Amino acid sequence: MPTLILVRHGRSTANTAGLLAGWTPGVALDERGAQQAAALPGRLAGLPISEVVTSPLQRCQETVQPLLDARPELRAHTDERIGEAHYGDWSGRKLAELKDEPLMEVVQAHPSAAAFPGGESMRAMQTRAAEAVREWNARVERDHGGDAVYLMCSHGDIIKSLVADALGLHLDLFQRISVEPCSITAIRYTRMRPFLVRLGDTGDFASLAPREEPPSGDAPVGGGAGAP
């Protein structure tokens, strides 16, 4: 079965503004995010990518564009099932404000029970994304063979939920996973089980350096902005 390369979109204007973007239209890559996207073709140069699948949201479309420009034989397929979580009434709000919402404690500690007001549950988010991956695995294997490599560009919570699915982790543990903007996560699927072979690889270790403010014990909903 194929190897899936999961790319989180580059840093966005919502990331730097501390907003939970969700499906809010017009959220683009910021300057650093554009630089991250421009570096992506070089980082993936050694991989024979057979297909590119992307979230319909602008920040993901912008992230894969340099790769598509570098490899004109590829075209992007858009799949709404790997689009960002539907945060409903939380969309567009500041994360600093949302941390005081009673639901945030559930999102952090018991996400399988969390459903966003006016949006979807985190269980539904994981289910639709995992179904998309399984369908694309079958399609890529059929069209390109069992050793094929393909790429999906998606969002922090989506990628974390897919990693949890691959590892057989309960969704309540997925907040322990971290994927920074434009990081690469790779899952090799086999008939018996998936193997996580890369997780949140940016090639940059700056985010591991101590920060002036100690990191919070909470997971950044939506994925966070990455290294300062």
Side-chain angles (χ1 to χ4, degrees):
M1 296 180 70
T3 295
L4 170 60
I5 307 299
L6 288 161
V7 177
R8 185 182 167 203
H9 62 78
R11 197 174 75 175
S12 72
T13 53
N15 292 145
T16 47
L19 299 175
L20 186 62
W23 285 70
T24 305
V27 176
L29 299 182
D30 68 4
E31 182 177 357
R32 181 171 177 178
Q35 292 170 351
Q36 292 170 333
L40 196 58
R43 294 169 63 197
L44 298 172
L47 290 178
I49 296 170
S50 59
E51 300 282 1
V52 173
V53 187
T54 180
S55 157
L57 295 173
Q58 180 179 339
R59 52 199 183 273
C60 287
Q61 302 275 337
E62 291 179 351
T63 298
V64 299
Q65 192 57 54
L67 178 65
L68 298 175
D69 291 342
R71 302 197 190 191
E73 73 278 9
L74 292 175
R75 67 181 183 89
H77 305 273
T78 298
D79 194 324
E80 291 195 357
R81 294 173 297 177
I82 62 167
E84 182 61 285
H86 290 279
Y87 296 117
D89 297 342
W90 279 23
S91 299
R93 292 183 59 187
K94 285 190 173 293
L95 289 164
E97 298 172 356
L98 290 171
K99 68 182 178 62
D100 296 324
E101 292 279 354
L103 178 61
M104 182 60 83
E105 187 175 15
V106 182
V107 169
Q108 293 293 327
H110 190 18
S112 66
F116 297 101
E120 69 180 335
S121 69
M122 300 196 90
R123 295 189 315 280
M125 173 198 75
Q126 182 186 44
T127 297
R128 63 174 164 85
E131 286 178 350
V133 166
R134 283 164 174 74
E135 288 183 20
W136 276 101
N137 281 349
R139 177 172 172 175
V140 169
E141 182 174 14
R142 180 197 68 204
D143 294 344
H144 303 283
D147 294 328
V149 178
Y150 75 107
L151 180 146
M152 280 186 169
C153 185
S154 188
H155 306 265
D157 282 348
I158 296 289
I159 293 172
K160 288 163 54 178
S161 75
L162 289 171
V163 170
D165 175 75
L167 292 176
L169 291 178
H170 196 283
L171 184 61
D172 285 346
L173 300 179
F174 101 125
Q175 297 290 28
R176 302 184 183 195
I177 300 165
S178 176
V179 289
E180 292 197 1
C182 224
S183 62
I184 292 172
T185 294
I187 301 171
R188 180 175 295 123
Y189 289 87
T190 74
R191 186 174 66 86
M192 294 298 293
R193 62 182 63 86
F195 292 90
L196 178 66
V197 292
R198 291 288 189 280
L199 176 61
D201 188 342
T202 64
D204 179 358
F205 296 102
S207 64
L208 303 181
R211 303 188 185 184
E212 293 183 5
E213 295 184 6
S216 166
D218 287 341
V221 180

